[in-house]
Amino acid sequence: MFSPAATAAPAPAVQPDPALVTAPLQITEFTPDTSNVATADGFEFIEVYNASSEPVDFSDYTLRYLYPRADLTNSNVVDWPSVPRDVSIAPGGTLVFWIKNGQNDSLTDADFNARFGSSLVMGENLVEVFTGGMANGSPRGLEIATNTGFGLNRAYYNLDGADNTSANQGIQFAVNPEDLSRQMLTGLAAASPGSVTPNQVPAGLMVPPADSVAPSVTDATAQSVNPAADFSFEATATDDQQVRTVTLHLRSDLEREFQTHYLKAGQDDRYEHILHVFDPADKLWYEYYFTVSDGTNTVKTEVRRVTVEGADSAPAESRWAASAYRGGVEVVRAAEADQQILDGTVFHDRNRNSTQDSGEPGLPGVTVSNGRDVVSADGQGRYELPAFDNMTVFVTQPRGYQVPVDEDNVAQFFYNHLPAGSPAMKYGGIAPTGALPEQGELPAGQERSYPVSGTALRARR
């Protein structure tokens, strides 16, 4: 542990400076190598400083993890959104992003503060980023970018073969007056999340220009969806300063709530979300609207509906019920009392009668289980399983197939073998099934275009 005295740094005495030109948000520290929780770094963090005289809502921004080449172009860029997103950074204040990698997910701000001697509050000046973490031995970078993809400020480590990482040491950065978009690496110091030193940040706070002009947005989405091709929800958006967030709010007739999609800027100020060709299946229409923010002003387009060409206007539940593949388990009682092996066939039930008829081939490779053993059907769709009391035999639905359902829409892909029935229950249970059936048919699936499969079960000594 570090003591508070060891990591606390004096807060710079900063005042608004109308003459100051700097990046409004700046990366001031990160720690790629910390004490482990289980087998992974438990306390990696990135610190961002607000160098402006106004609060900054970080919901218009995201962190991006960079994989830089030697020329500082990137081989890959990964968005690292925070949880929560809508956190305000006070003027001259910081926001700390704590990396949660699965093994430290249960830790709280109390654990974080105990580790560093800080006093951060989750959801206020400490947020979480759920990702695998930062590399220790490879060149990497972090960047603050708008949700629309415009980079604002970035910082690198381990460039040109250097090793800038050390256990529980913060890599510290300062503003670069020659390139406000790229921070200078100043060295290592005891990690101090939430605290910056005067040599890291400008002596004053930049005063952002007044912004009374709202963004402009034009919806360019087509009137209807052709289900045989990809479809684009698109708009153009501009602002006198910068478009920071463009959000598509989208739902279909099968969804109650709008889903949000953050859009990146394309050519000619165009923003789009692609609806892939398979998505409109079984849908009648989509409703949507766009919101556009410049950090101060937000505009919203009207809610529009686009229909899916050729879609059946009947309710989705009715369409499904009318075409559902219905079947059940047919059981023939066996005369033998001592049955130890169950064999059967997984087959293509083309006529939907839950019985294997002539011309209905077996399906090879389908897995079948009795709850203890798992086997795969052979080239003819046949399988064998040990039989015992109080078992459930079931087939695993093959890819491209759909199991049939009964009149209550319960999937029929299993047979319960409970000779004495289930134990007494307040609301009932499974009635006694008696001896193992000589033959029972378990319908197992249906291809996307027509009904399929069943599983014939036979018992033998």
Side-chain angles (χ1 to χ4, degrees), residues 189-312:
S192 57
S195 179
V196 297
T197 57
N199 68 310
Q200 289 184 273
V201 298
L205 297 174
M206 67 164 288
V207 179
D211 188 357
S212 58
V213 179
S216 173
V217 56
T218 302
D219 186 352
T221 306
Q223 298 292 322
S224 62
V225 178
N226 176 2
D230 288 348
F231 182 80
S232 175
F233 293 91
E234 59 183 87
T236 56
T238 57
D239 187 68
D240 64 329
Q241 296 189 26
Q242 187 179 61
V243 175
R244 297 182 183 176
T245 302
V246 175
T247 308
L248 171 68
H249 307 260
L250 177 66
R251 75 181 184 100
S252 73
D253 61 298
L254 301 182
E255 298 166 303
R256 291 182 179 273
E257 305 295 332
F258 285 96
Q259 308 298 313
T260 56
H261 304 272
Y262 293 99
L263 308 184
K264 294 288 196 295
Q267 292 184 342
D268 302 321
D269 301 313
R270 189 166 65 97
Y271 297 82
E272 67 175 342
H273 172 73
I274 300 298
L275 192 72
H276 293 292
V277 64
F278 55 81
D279 192 270
D282 298 325
K283 298 180 176 67
L284 299 177
W285 47 259
Y286 292 88
E287 284 186 340
Y288 72 95
Y289 62 95
F290 295 96
T291 54
V292 180
S293 168
D294 61 8
T296 302
N297 310 285
T298 300
V299 295
K300 172 186 173 182
T301 65
E302 65 178 5
V303 178
R304 288 186 55 202
R305 177 178 292 189
V306 291
T307 58
V308 178
E309 298 171 6
D312 189 342

Side-chain angles (χ1 to χ4, degrees), residues 57-203:
D57 184 352
F58 203 80
S59 64
D60 281 317
Y61 302 89
T62 190
L63 286 179
R64 301 203 295 190
Y65 189 57
L66 311 178
Y67 294 75
R69 302 184 180 96
D71 63 357
L72 296 189
T73 60
N74 297 306
S75 62
N76 194 20
V77 177
V78 181
D79 285 356
W80 278 7
S82 64
V83 180
R85 295 179 68 104
D86 55 343
V87 176
S88 180
I89 312 177
T94 62
L95 180 61
V96 175
F97 300 79
W98 183 7
I99 303 300
K100 289 298 187 73
N101 53 38
Q103 300 192 52
N104 64 344
D105 286 2
S106 63
L107 299 187
T108 67
D109 51 5
D111 300 302
F112 189 88
N113 291 327
R115 182 66 190 82
F116 295 111
S118 52
S119 56
L120 303 175
V121 178
M122 189 70 76
E124 295 183 11
N125 49 15
L126 178 66
V127 294
E128 298 169 301
V129 175
F130 292 90
T131 186
M134 294 182 278
N136 291 341
S138 302
R140 293 290 186 266
L142 271 299
E143 182 178 43
I144 306 166
T146 66
N147 291 331
T148 49
F150 298 108
L152 185 69
N153 186 258
R154 66 191 190 278
Y156 298 98
Y157 67 103
N158 290 351
L159 293 181
D160 302 322
D163 182 2
N164 303 127
T165 63
S166 183
N168 296 309
Q169 295 288 293
I171 304 174
Q172 296 194 338
F173 299 89
V175 65
N176 181 357
E178 296 181 0
D179 184 355
L180 299 179
S181 67
R182 179 183 172 182
Q183 298 287 87
M184 295 188 302
L185 193 158
T186 59
L188 298 177
S192 57
S195 179
V196 297
T197 57
N199 68 310
Q200 289 184 273
V201 298

